[in-house]
Amino acid sequence: MADFYITTAIDYVNGLPHVGHAYEKVLTDVIARFRRLMGDSVYFLTGTDEHGQKVQQTARARGVPPRQFADEVSAEFRAMLPRLLISNDDFIRTTEERHKRVVRELLQRLFDKGDIYRGEYRGFYSTRQEQFLLEKDRNPDGSWPDIYGEVTQIAEPNYFFRLRSYQEWLVEFLARNEGFVFPRFRQKQVTEFLKDPLNDLCISRPRERLEWGIPLPFDPSFVTYVWFDALANYYSAVADRPGVWPAALHVIGKDILVPPHAVYWPIMLHAAGLALPRGLLVHGWWLTSGAKMSKSAGNAFNPLELVDEFGADALRYFFIREMNVGQDGDFSRELFLVRYNSDLANDLGNLVNRVLNMTSRFAGGAVPAAGAEGEAELELRALWEATSRDYVALFGQYQFHTGLERLFAFVRSINAYVEKRAPWKLGKSADPADRALLQTSLAVMAEALRLASAALRPVMPGATATIDGVLGSRPSGAWLDELAWGGRLAGAKVSPALVLFPRPLPAAGKAP
Ligand code: MSP
């Protein structure tokens, strides 16, 4: 059973993981962790998409069998997950038997119903690239680019899936479910796309052109079109797990919404008599100087380099703080360093240090109980109440960047509170009122840090566990309770010091 089944797109294995792949895993993981903390039973799936022309070609170019090639690259994607602290429950590969079996069953079911028929595909074909070309592939003057070599018009038998018969159903479904695609403007793109009549989808490739795929169960001289195969992963991974399907959320990038996830997939499911996912969350792209980061563009950035240097939590924070889900975002080492230095090393890291340091110096390393609260304490507490309420609501609406912005405003307010109370001055005073205020201020800063850390848990699971550890705080499991201001640390033994986010060396990091 799962109340919340969440998936990422499955990555092509014709290139190595880059920032876009890492981001999508982190975003999905933040949602998965958030839902778990909110009490849902979550099932989280990710994996690799391994069949098709590109993989076959890349493997050939390297002189290795496609299976071996796919094994190697899939292993790289899989190895990235723990390094990014991804809490997935399963990892599916489309080359696994459990997946292929379900794809065959789906195809057979649709074939038996008459939703798949044999027809003829006509089009322009490039023998050099081994692919059919579209009108958009032409040069502006109508000729074909040289990379395609000789282009000929061919017709070949193939199998087609009756998309068009389901177009009206899909249009109505989307009208009834206005929030199916998040953000809303993406759902509008889908409805726009559906204003033109759909063509039936060619779901086969002749074996002589493409070996590397799942043979059609009703005609093994063809293999399955890679998108039909890949989309089925979301279902095939849980087909044997009662109570998991349908998915609550498919997290995908904007390039694969229309038509695969918003048109092919709902129609495939509906035609096969399976329940539809509850929603699609469509994120934008990470760009470098306005261009999409991708292997083919040569501007792909290996996210694991930043993890090695700054830790997974820092990269996760950057991704989630910087990207407004749905929009595009700019990625560069410089932008990363600005966030790292200001929010993590400075605001949060300093606060951790101050709390530990002052609790050790002025309270023998045990968090005191708060005494009477003055205006500054009440203000900070009121700010927390508003911040935490909005933070949870914003996370529920995928507005993570705004949630984090608010949370870090709170962290800065804790630092401002510390400046205002100046425990280092109170600690020098013999006045009993000052001594009482010292205790209260130490208690309040520790409690406020505990709360900020609890809130950050879905985004920075590693760093927040470390903060909990040094504060002597034991998370209870009931997250919303933990987010309530409550002087829970009274008596807790803190560690003497911790540098959580060390500042990078200026020479290595070109730090500002
Ligand atoms: N294999 C298909 C998906 C099949 S899902 C049934 C595919 N693979 S991919 O490797 O090209 O992309 C995987 C995911 O990474 C997609 O959701 C894609 O949008 C995302 N990203 C790839 N590059 C990206 C950026 N530069 N920025 C953010 N995400 C992007 O598509």
Side-chain angles (χ1 to χ4, degrees), residues 406-453:
R406 298 285 301 276
L407 191 82
F408 273 76
F410 175 69
V411 169
R412 281 190 294 278
S413 298
I414 314 176
N415 280 318
Y417 167 81
V418 177
E419 296 291 334
K420 178 161 188 183
R421 285 301 185 218
W424 50 93
K425 284 190 196 150
L426 298 171
K428 286 190 195 137
S429 165
D431 180 345
D434 285 346
R435 304 302 300 178
L437 194 52
L438 172 64
Q439 306 279 302
T440 298
S441 61
L442 293 175
V444 164
M445 59 199 262
E447 176 65 0
L449 171 59
R450 178 192 72 76
L451 290 162
S453 169

Side-chain angles (χ1 to χ4, degrees), residues 10-12 18 21 24 49 234 253 255-256 283 285-286 293:
I10 50 171
D11 301 320
Y12 285 133
H18 62 68
H21 301 122
E24 189 174 282
D49 182 357
Y234 303 129
D255 50 324
I256 57 174
H283 63 75
W285 280 347
W286 285 102
M293 298 182 95

